[in-house]
Amino acid sequence: MKKISDSTIRRMSKYFRSLEQLIDKGVETVSSDTLAEMDGITSAQVRKDLSFFGTFGKRGFGYNVKSLKKQIENILGLYRTWNVAIVGAGNIGRALTEYAEFKKQGFVIRLIMDKDKNKIGKQVHGLTVKDFAKVNELVKEEQIDIAIIAVPSDSAQPVADKLVDAGIKAILNFAPRSLKVPKDVLVKYENMAVEMESLSYYLSNKK
Amino acid sequence: MKKISDSTIRRMSKYFRSLEQLIDKGVETVSSDTLAEMDGITSAQVRKDLSFFGTFGKRGFGYNVKSLKKQIENILGLYRTWNVAIVGAGNIGRALTEYAEFKKQGFVIRLIMDKDKNKIGKQVHGLTVKDFAKVNELVKEEQIDIAIIAVPSDSAQPVADKLVDAGIKAILNFAPRSLKVPKDVLVKYENMAVEMESLSYYLSNKK
DNA sequence: GTGTGTGAAGGGTTTCACAGCA
DNA sequence: TGCTGTGAAACCCTTCACACAC
């Protein structure tokens, strides 16, 4: 399996969403040009990205929307569901339990944990907040595949360590802190402050 | 002003946060090595990034933590506050009004809007949800600098159009859709589904 | 004719390696 | 001696351009 760049994978994810849109509109065929336009990139980029995984189009014609969507679904592993645990029942954690896009793509939030005694036992959109101290059993019981960290910065690393102990191999981290994990564990970051600060930089520096 | 890459800006943002951490610990001096270690990158990268903006270190010594932090603060435009409006009083929008990291970095949420009559007038963490139909006046009144879009995908583009009309030049978009805006408007994306799908890809493809 | 698939070229970012200064 | 600042090299990703299949 050749190494595929991160940016390609992320664009695949975007193509996938664009294809969903096209299906909703009843469109059956799409060109790399159209797809590129929808995602704000170039058509060569679209074709190159897809070419890493196979040849899905017909020359002179384009791509069949439904079948391309199915292909990408397979590539990204979205033909199945993934069990997700959220750590941190604060504002962000609670909001994510209800995030529609997760549900639609087969990410099932099965567990929300916190260490705060005042939060444990409370209901959050149909889930009961569980004690993070029991992370090992809980992760096993619910067969969790992916963990989302939504705790304050200072707790992020200790939480990650415990998740790794519990056997988690994939983490999405909302805390603005870089995590150290073994190399068979993948961490992705959702760093809202970083994006805001890019905007701040831009606003400060345009003439 | 020479063009500085996006990745450099984002790393600056991370250095900034790492420096804050060091200040909290009472550390006074830091080497590019340590900073690199904290952010999971190489020391050459740190030095190269900083070199785009000036020379902040002392050879054989390292960087003064406080003064480097102040420098980056200036570079990113964080010496001042920015007025922020959130569009969409759903789960995500409401959670963001309380996001601590925003407050700390001088992003002040002054306005939350929605088009849903059931939400307009309700209180969200001390803010009253306002009618998005009045976006033009509201943006002017509150002197909004940055808008955050936290509405369903289908509404993201129309909302963006109205924000642009209202004079907004910087947008953080949480809807998983690429936005078309004039080129003097900057859009950053916070696409949680994309990150989750990268994790899904990784889990599906490790042997 | 039309739009894909893809080597080759181009551009940009990261890493290397070391001169230079504290 | 130790660590920065930085040209040069290496690497990777994007864009070009066109042969080729439908």
Side-chain angles (χ1 to χ4, degrees):
Chain A
M1 171 118 219
K2 57 185 172 309
K3 177 73 171 62
I4 302 219
S5 86
D6 224 60
S7 10
T8 291
I9 300 299
R10 297 162 76 125
R11 282 191 299 267
M12 292 298 280
S13 203
K14 293 181 181 171
Y15 304 151
F16 181 74
R17 217 144 280 107
S18 298
L19 290 165
E20 280 185 328
Q21 247 182 281
L22 291 171
I23 287 178
D24 288 348
K25 281 198 208 156
V27 178
E28 303 205 332
T29 302
V30 68
S31 67
S32 57
D33 244 333
T34 306
L35 226 32
E37 219 276 322
M38 292 178 76
D39 290 332
I41 53 172
T42 68
S43 62
Q45 183 74 79
V46 173
R47 295 199 299 279
K48 180 65 87 180
D49 283 338
L50 294 176
S51 79
F52 293 131
F53 299 99
T55 68
F56 306 121
K58 282 199 189 60
R59 294 176 192 231
F61 180 78
Y63 304 87
N64 175 285
V65 174
K66 280 192 185 158
S67 96
L68 183 57
K69 187 197 160 214
K70 188 134 291 178
Q71 297 281 1
I72 297 183
E73 203 164 76
N74 276 304
I75 293 162
L76 294 178
L78 301 177
Y79 51 86
R80 50 161 288 177
T81 63
W82 297 97
N83 295 329
V84 178
I86 294 175
V87 188
N91 288 307
I92 305 279
R94 292 200 312 271
L96 292 175
T97 59
E98 276 283 272
Y99 186 52
E101 197 69 20
F102 284 174
K103 282 186 202 161
K104 196 161 76 176
Q105 249 62 258
F107 298 105
V108 184
I109 316 288
R110 302 204 30 152
L111 181 57
I112 178 163
M113 296 174 279
D114 205 297
K115 64 171 182 186
D116 181 348
K117 298 280 182 252
N118 295 317
K119 287 179 181 153
I120 297 167
K122 291 261 160 62
Q123 291 293 115
V124 175
H125 299 129
L127 288 170
T128 306
V129 178
K130 297 286 171 64
D131 187 353
F132 184 64
K134 297 186 182 134
V135 57
N136 283 35
E137 302 101 279
L138 290 167
V139 161
K140 201 165 289 169
E141 266 170 46
E142 302 291 345
Q143 301 179 60
I144 299 302
D145 304 298
I146 300 174
I148 296 179
I149 296 182
V151 302
S153 299
D154 290 341
S155 318
Q157 185 63 56
V159 163
D161 294 342
K162 294 202 179 92
L163 288 169
V164 169
D165 272 357
I168 292 292
K169 299 291 182 207
I171 294 174
L172 179 59
N173 180 26
F174 278 79
R177 187 110 11 138
S178 163
L179 300 177
K180 285 186 197 15
V181 296
K183 59 184 162 328
D184 66 328
V185 177
L186 183 64
V187 181
K188 292 282 167 183
Y189 295 87
E190 206 67 66
N191 203 327
M192 304 181 275
V194 167
E195 301 306 324
M196 286 297 271
E197 286 164 18
S198 299
L199 293 173
S200 165
Y201 170 77
Y202 165 76
L203 289 174
S204 305
N205 291 283
K206 58 175 183 158
K207 60 64 291 308
Chain B
M1 170 121 222
K2 58 185 171 307
K3 176 74 173 60
I4 300 212
S5 85
D6 222 62
S7 12
T8 292
I9 300 298
R10 299 162 74 126
R11 282 191 300 266
M12 293 297 281
S13 202
K14 293 181 180 172
Y15 304 151
F16 181 75
R17 218 146 277 107
S18 299
L19 290 166
E20 281 184 328
Q21 247 182 281
L22 292 171
I23 287 177
D24 288 348
K25 281 197 205 157
V27 178
E28 302 206 333
T29 302
V30 68
S31 67
S32 56
D33 245 334
T34 306
L35 225 32
E37 218 276 324
M38 292 178 77
D39 290 332
I41 53 172
T42 68
S43 63
Q45 183 75 79
V46 173
R47 295 197 299 278
K48 180 66 83 177
D49 283 338
L50 295 176
S51 79
F52 292 132
F53 299 98
T55 69
F56 307 121
K58 282 199 188 61
R59 294 171 193 237
F61 179 79
Y63 304 87
N64 176 283
V65 174
K66 280 192 187 159
S67 96
L68 183 57
K69 186 195 162 218
K70 188 133 294 178
Q71 297 281 0
I72 296 183
E73 204 163 76
N74 275 305
I75 292 163
L76 294 179
L78 300 177
Y79 50 86
R80 51 161 286 179
T81 63
W82 297 96
N83 295 330
V84 178
I86 295 176
V87 187
N91 289 305
I92 306 279
R94 292 200 312 272
L96 292 175
T97 58
E98 276 284 271
Y99 187 52
E101 197 69 20
F102 284 173
K103 281 187 206 163
K104 197 163 75 177
Q105 249 60 260
F107 298 104
V108 183
I109 316 287
R110 302 203 35 149
L111 181 57
I112 178 163
M113 297 173 277
D114 206 296
K115 64 171 182 184
D116 181 348
K117 298 279 180 255
N118 296 315
K119 287 179 180 151
I120 296 166
K122 291 261 161 61
Q123 290 294 115
V124 175
H125 300 127
L127 288 171
T128 307
V129 178
K130 297 285 169 65
D131 187 352
F132 183 63
K134 300 191 180 127
V135 57
N136 284 34
E137 302 101 279
L138 291 166
V139 161
K140 201 165 290 171
E141 265 170 48
E142 302 291 346
Q143 301 179 59
I144 300 301
D145 303 297
I146 300 174
I148 297 180
I149 296 183
V151 300
S153 300
D154 290 341
S155 319
Q157 184 63 56
V159 163
D161 294 342
K162 295 206 179 86
L163 289 170
V164 170
D165 271 357
I168 292 293
K169 298 292 181 206
I171 294 175
L172 179 58
N173 179 26
F174 278 79
R177 188 101 21 131
S178 164
L179 300 178
K180 285 186 199 13
V181 296
K183 56 184 166 330
D184 66 328
V185 177
L186 183 63
V187 181
K188 293 281 168 187
Y189 295 86
E190 205 68 64
N191 201 329
M192 305 183 272
V194 166
E195 301 307 324
M196 286 299 269
E197 286 164 18
S198 297
L199 292 172
S200 164
Y201 170 78
Y202 166 76
L203 290 174
S204 305
N205 291 284
K206 60 175 183 161
K207 49 128 227 326

